[in-house]
Amino acid sequence: MAKRKKNGKKRIITLPCRVAKMLDLPEEGFEFVLKMTMLGNEYIVIENHRGIYEFFEHNISLLSDSGTVKISGENLVLRETDSDRLYITGNIKGINIE
Amino acid sequence: MWKFLSGYVMIQAEGKNLERFLNLLMSNGLDIKNIRRNGPYSLTLDIVTFDFYRLRSIIRKNKVRIKIRILKKRGLFVHLLVLRFRKALIFGLPVMLALLAIASRSVWFINVEGCDKVSEAEVEKMLYDMGIKRGSLKNSFKLSTLADKIMAEDERIASADANISGVVLNIGIQEATIIEEQGERTGYASIYAQSSGKIKRIVALMGKPCVRAGDIVQEGDLLITGELNHDDKDTMLVCAKGEVIANVIHTFTAVEEPLEKTLVRTGNYVDFTKVSILGFELYKEPQDFSLSESESMSSKLFEGGALPMKLVNQRCYELEEKELQVDTLTLTERAIQKADIIMQESLDKNARILSKKTVTQILDDGSVEATIIVTTEQNIAQIREF
């Protein structure tokens, strides 16, 4: 059940995800996919992350299945935290997934 | 709000692996908020009070080298922790709750609804006579029988219901429409006005009405005649029956004199000792004066020790009757009270009071005259047989 991506990494497509695709349902409910919701440039909610890799006032790096998410900005604060959800506030200037 | 209620602690964490520390807290399900990086090796965060106590064990268990320092303590829980040494609060709270529990077993308010002809005070007096007053225990009376008792007490009450909500006893009454028993009359009778007033409505059950609603009638005027004429030829005599409701103005006056006879002390007195054994007074007071009053001079002279005997020093003052001038305010109050009593005695029980006005005036001799002008709605029908 694995497809090979262009960069050579394997992307595992699980059975629930396949069923969701067949039924035209959103995949996010069945798979641990990184989900980011941004409100303007001041608030960002990141769901399904794998932990904090780096945390500074101007830079926050998070681990996820899709790679490392780098959020850059100023006065970044982790307003609320959860095991798989983060609510970040501050002056967000950029988001980079590596 | 929830954050304040549960209480939170603002801490500063210092160490090298701060990201690992955060991940550890998140994976253990600790509620942490407002995480700010202060420097390369320190950050501040808010943690819920309950979770703060778990923090130390998590750090020890996972061997994280982080130094924790409390910066602030906030929230209701923290305030309560401070108050835990206040003994008055700790013991006062259960006492207060116990008092509330005891107090909630009694009736503290009586709410009477549906009163029109029967006044609330009358219903409250009925309840008082039954032993129900403010402070009475809820289980000292039965609600099911209370309503029946109220109904039986006054014929003007058609139905009543009683219920308790909290500490309020709610009494709902429904008044009866009293139709005066006119009896089975066989002879000829007509209905006349018992008093002067303005007719509001007239219901002739038998006979022919002679007035209409809005008419002003004088006392003794014919209202419903028992003489029925057919084409001015035949005359039939019947016993008139009906109800004539009219607005009647009543005036009640009472005068209060300025001089009042009062007993005052003359200045003469006699000292004596009151002796009582087993509660029976052997020697009460000297009979030197025709009018007198006694007053205790000091505390008990002799208690009797083991004996049931008591000696008390007393002074007997001579009294005489004198006429004293009463102030106008007191006179006015008395005159109004007097007029009110006259009104209550004179007014028909079934009369419904529409308006009440009190006028007072000081007369030339200093006496005060109080006049109560009452407008009522009542049945003014009076049957006269012939």
Side-chain angles (χ1 to χ4, degrees):
Chain A
M1 300 294 161
K3 279 184 181 179
R4 195 166 286 278
K5 277 188 179 179
K6 282 180 183 177
N7 58 10
K9 283 182 183 176
K10 280 182 184 177
R11 188 191 166 204
I12 299 161
I13 301 167
T14 55
L15 183 68
C17 185
R18 200 176 267 226
V19 174
K21 262 187 180 176
M22 280 168 67
L23 295 169
D24 285 340
L25 291 169
E27 284 179 58
E28 63 190 61
F30 299 92
E31 210 178 11
F32 205 75
V33 184
L34 182 75
K35 186 182 173 187
M36 287 192 283
T37 313
M38 204 167 164
L39 297 150
N41 66 337
E42 288 184 353
Y43 308 95
I44 186 164
V45 181
I46 299 166
E47 288 171 73
N48 301 333
H49 67 88
R50 294 286 186 189
I52 302 165
Y53 180 66
E54 253 183 354
F55 173 52
F56 291 102
E57 205 179 3
H58 57 274
N59 174 33
I60 295 174
S61 298
L62 305 169
L63 298 170
S64 77
D65 286 352
S66 313
T68 309
V69 181
K70 276 193 176 180
I71 299 157
S72 56
E74 286 170 7
N75 302 320
L76 296 177
V77 176
L78 284 170
R79 191 63 66 186
E80 275 182 42
T81 59
D82 207 338
S83 58
D84 60 345
R85 203 173 68 96
L86 281 175
Y87 176 39
I88 299 165
T89 59
N91 189 10
I92 298 160
K93 287 187 174 169
I95 300 164
N96 188 23
I97 302 170
E98 290 174 357
Chain B
M1 183 69 183
W2 173 245
K3 193 179 161 187
F4 175 76
L5 287 174
S6 57
Y8 66 96
V9 184
M10 190 190 223
I11 58 167
Q12 187 175 33
E14 286 175 348
K16 282 185 178 176
N17 297 315
L18 290 170
E19 284 84 2
R20 190 181 161 225
F21 170 66
L22 287 177
N23 287 330
L24 201 64
L25 298 186
M26 284 193 286
S27 61
N28 277 287
L30 267 66
D31 192 2
I32 51 171
K33 287 181 174 70
N34 297 333
I35 308 157
R36 290 167 202 273
R37 191 83 186 217
N38 297 331
Y41 299 113
S42 76
L43 57 82
T44 58
L45 56 93
D46 295 348
I47 186 163
V48 176
T49 319
F50 298 111
D51 289 345
F52 177 72
Y53 295 113
R54 288 172 60 202
L55 191 65
R56 184 176 281 181
S57 64
I58 290 167
I59 290 170
R60 277 186 188 172
K61 202 176 166 184
N62 294 284
K63 293 175 184 173
V64 185
R65 287 187 177 181
I66 297 288
K67 200 176 166 186
I68 301 290
R69 200 152 59 92
I70 297 169
L71 299 177
K72 275 180 195 172
K73 291 175 188 174
R74 291 279 182 276
L76 186 69
F77 182 75
V78 179
H79 289 303
L80 288 174
L81 274 179
V82 175
L83 296 172
R84 72 186 186 276
F85 299 112
R86 303 279 290 269
K87 284 174 188 170
L89 275 175
I90 292 166
F91 293 107
L93 194 70
V95 170
M96 194 194 75
L97 290 172
L99 284 174
L100 272 175
I102 293 164
S104 64
R105 293 179 64 200
S106 306
V107 169
W108 293 108
F109 300 99
I110 296 170
N111 180 29
V112 185
E113 283 178 356
C115 286
D116 191 9
K117 288 172 189 168
V118 185
S119 68
E120 283 181 27
E122 278 178 283
V123 178
E124 280 184 22
K125 197 180 174 300
M126 269 180 228
L127 293 169
Y128 187 84
D129 294 340
M130 290 173 203
I132 301 161
K133 55 189 175 185
R134 284 173 184 84
S136 299
L137 286 171
K138 285 179 194 173
N139 56 10
S140 65
F141 55 90
K142 280 184 182 175
L143 279 176
S144 52
T145 54
L146 184 64
D148 296 337
K149 280 181 185 174
I150 293 168
M151 278 161 62
E153 202 73 24
D154 199 316
E155 62 172 8
R156 291 173 292 166
I157 299 168
S159 70
D161 70 300
N163 63 69
I164 290 176
S165 73
V167 291
V168 184
L169 172 64
N170 292 309
I171 304 287
I173 60 165
Q174 201 152 15
E175 292 176 351
T177 312
I178 296 171
I179 298 166
E180 279 185 22
E181 202 57 54
Q182 292 172 354
E184 285 299 317
R185 294 170 198 274
T186 48
Y188 159 61
S190 291
I191 291 173
Y192 292 85
Q194 202 175 18
S195 49
S196 308
K198 190 180 179 185
I199 306 290
K200 209 174 172 196
R201 67 174 185 273
I202 180 163
V203 181
L205 297 171
M206 199 172 277
K208 188 184 168 187
C210 304
V211 287
R212 288 180 181 181
D215 287 357
I216 292 165
V217 293
Q218 297 297 322
E219 189 182 339
D221 283 0
L222 182 65
L223 302 175
I224 301 169
T225 180
E227 198 178 313
L228 303 174
N229 296 318
H230 294 283
D231 304 329
D232 297 331
K233 289 173 186 173
D234 300 327
T235 303
M236 198 166 78
L237 298 174
V238 293
C239 180
K241 279 182 190 175
E243 192 184 50
V244 184
I245 304 295
N247 287 352
V248 183
I249 296 168
H250 302 270
T251 310
F252 306 98
T253 310
V255 180
E256 199 63 27
E257 297 296 329
L259 293 172
E260 188 186 45
K261 281 182 181 176
T262 321
L263 291 171
V264 289
R265 290 177 181 178
T266 56
N268 301 328
Y269 62 85
V270 178
D271 289 333
F272 68 102
T273 307
K274 196 168 87 175
V275 184
S276 62
I277 296 174
L278 279 166
F280 295 102
E281 289 178 353
L282 295 180
Y283 181 70
K284 287 181 183 175
E285 57 188 43
Q287 303 294 322
D288 297 359
F289 312 118
S290 56
L291 291 166
S292 64
E293 67 173 355
S294 297
E295 195 180 85
S296 290
M297 289 299 293
S298 59
S299 57
K300 289 155 195 171
L301 188 69
F302 176 66
E303 189 67 49
L307 297 168
M309 186 181 172
K310 211 188 281 179
L311 301 176
V312 183
N313 271 342
Q314 289 209 324
R315 182 167 283 179
C316 180
Y317 292 94
E318 188 189 20
L319 297 174
E320 65 173 351
E321 212 171 50
K322 267 189 178 177
E323 279 196 335
L324 292 175
Q325 183 83 30
V326 185
D327 64 294
T328 320
L329 194 71
T330 316
L331 279 177
T332 312
E333 279 178 12
R334 283 181 188 175
I336 291 170
Q337 212 172 4
K338 213 169 166 180
D340 204 57
I341 291 166
I342 296 167
M343 182 195 83
Q344 282 176 12
E345 283 171 357
S346 313
L347 267 185
D348 185 6
K349 266 196 170 184
N350 297 320
R352 188 173 147 223
I353 295 171
L354 299 175
S355 68
K356 188 180 170 186
K357 195 180 166 188
T358 309
V359 182
T360 56
Q361 61 167 340
I362 301 165
L363 302 176
D364 296 336
D365 60 341
S367 55
V368 174
E369 187 187 72
T371 310
I372 298 177
I373 302 155
V374 183
T375 310
T376 60
E377 190 183 278
Q378 63 182 88
N379 186 8
I380 57 164
Q382 189 184 41
I383 296 171
R384 286 186 200 169
E385 278 186 273
F386 297 98

